[in-house]
Amino acid sequence: MKIDLVSDSVYVVAGTNVNWALVSDGSGVTVIDAGYPSDSDAVLDSVQQIGHQLTDIAAVLITHAHLDHIGAIPTLVERVGMPVYTGAEEVRHAKREYLQQISPMGMIKQLANQRGRRWVAHTVRAVVGHIGMTVPSASAGDTAALAALPGGLVAIPTPGHTSGHTAYLMPSEGVLFSGDALVTGHPLLADPGLQLLPSVFNHDEVRMRESALGLGIQPARILVPGHGVHTTFDAVELANALGASKG
């Protein structure tokens, strides 16, 4: 686990090939995404390392309900009982009314090269025993509820990676939490930089590209992705990066 302070109130925590974020206003914390199941202890520890008690957690926001973003939620709900918010459509995904996730065959195909084999090994260890995890308490975070949380967050629908994927903007400090709608790295990607995840992870590639490009209009100066390092955020750079990677 590695914790970086990226603005006055925002900490980015790197876990098992995935990030989560903590937004602190001094009295409370908003947790954005929650790592793999194997990251659960690290998620709890990260809250304490920035000077808070678990009972200071006001809510958990999830960008989407893949296992690498909801892993610590059952433990947090049991220990704290805070609300868990996500996009309205993603609530159904979090409750597993349907599943949009890499298939077993998609996983097997990654074994064709060393980079993929390493990622599969890490992933299997990170989710073993928790494949059927759900988030029964997930609910849609309305505008007022998100604005009242530490950080004063705004939800930005970004469908494509999953149908209900949601990014979050913190207007007061210009921080954009993109989840998996836009990343800067991943074990299956050869090079770092602004880009989409490999298509094997994405439910609708066309909508995902549209959503990622749409993030360019947001008044953000820092991007906190679900995978890869945080970076300065520039709309022209984003358009150039996605234009260059198209096709």
Side-chain angles (χ1 to χ4, degrees):
M1 181 179 69
K2 181 176 182 292
I3 303 177
D4 288 318
L5 179 65
V6 301
S7 71
D8 289 344
S9 307
V10 176
Y11 299 82
V12 180
V13 190
T16 305
N17 296 329
V18 70
N19 303 325
W20 59 91
L22 308 172
V23 183
S24 169
D25 67 0
S27 62
V29 181
T30 302
V31 179
I32 302 177
D33 285 335
Y36 276 105
S38 67
D39 290 318
S40 293
D41 288 344
V43 172
L44 273 59
D45 187 44
S46 67
V47 173
Q48 295 168 328
Q49 284 201 34
I50 67 166
H52 283 278
Q53 302 299 315
L54 296 182
T55 50
D56 293 336
I57 299 174
V60 178
L61 307 185
I62 51 178
T63 58
H64 64 295
H66 283 164
L67 288 175
D68 55 336
H69 294 259
I70 64 172
I73 289 178
T75 301
L76 287 170
V77 170
E78 180 181 356
R79 296 277 297 273
V80 183
M82 74 288 132
V84 179
Y85 296 131
T86 189
E89 178 58 33
E90 198 67 9
V91 169
R92 297 179 58 226
H93 190 209
K95 295 181 178 182
R96 292 302 187 253
E97 295 178 17
Y98 61 84
L99 180 62
Q100 295 175 340
Q101 192 159 278
I102 186 172
S103 67
M105 183 56 65
M107 292 280 287
I108 290 170
K109 288 180 178 179
Q110 306 313 309
L111 299 174
N113 58 71
Q114 185 176 5
R115 183 183 294 118
R117 288 191 292 272
R118 185 181 302 113
W119 174 78
V120 169
H122 288 171
T123 301
V124 169
R125 287 196 297 269
V127 303
V128 65
H130 300 277
I131 297 295
M133 177 181 289
T134 66
V135 187
S137 62
S139 63
D142 63 32
T143 300
L146 297 188
L149 293 175
L153 284 302
V154 176
I156 305 169
T158 43
H161 182 63
T162 64
S163 293
H165 190 288
T166 303
Y168 299 95
L169 176 69
M170 182 179 174
S172 62
E173 295 181 15
V175 182
L176 177 61
F177 305 90
S178 63
D180 286 3
L182 182 65
V183 302
T184 62
H186 187 275
L188 295 186
L189 293 168
D191 301 304
L194 287 173
Q195 58 194 300
L196 304 182
L197 281 172
S199 59
V200 69
F201 294 116
N202 306 326
H203 177 65
D204 187 326
E205 193 87 357
V206 172
R207 292 187 78 193
M208 184 172 179
R209 180 174 294 279
E210 292 172 350
S211 291
L213 285 168
L215 290 175
I217 68 170
Q218 299 301 324
R221 61 184 183 85
I222 299 170
L223 178 75
V224 175
H227 302 273
V229 299
H230 65 278
T231 186
T232 55
F233 188 65
D234 179 83
V236 174
E237 181 184 356
L238 171 62
N240 289 341
L242 295 188
S245 64
K246 186 173 183 179

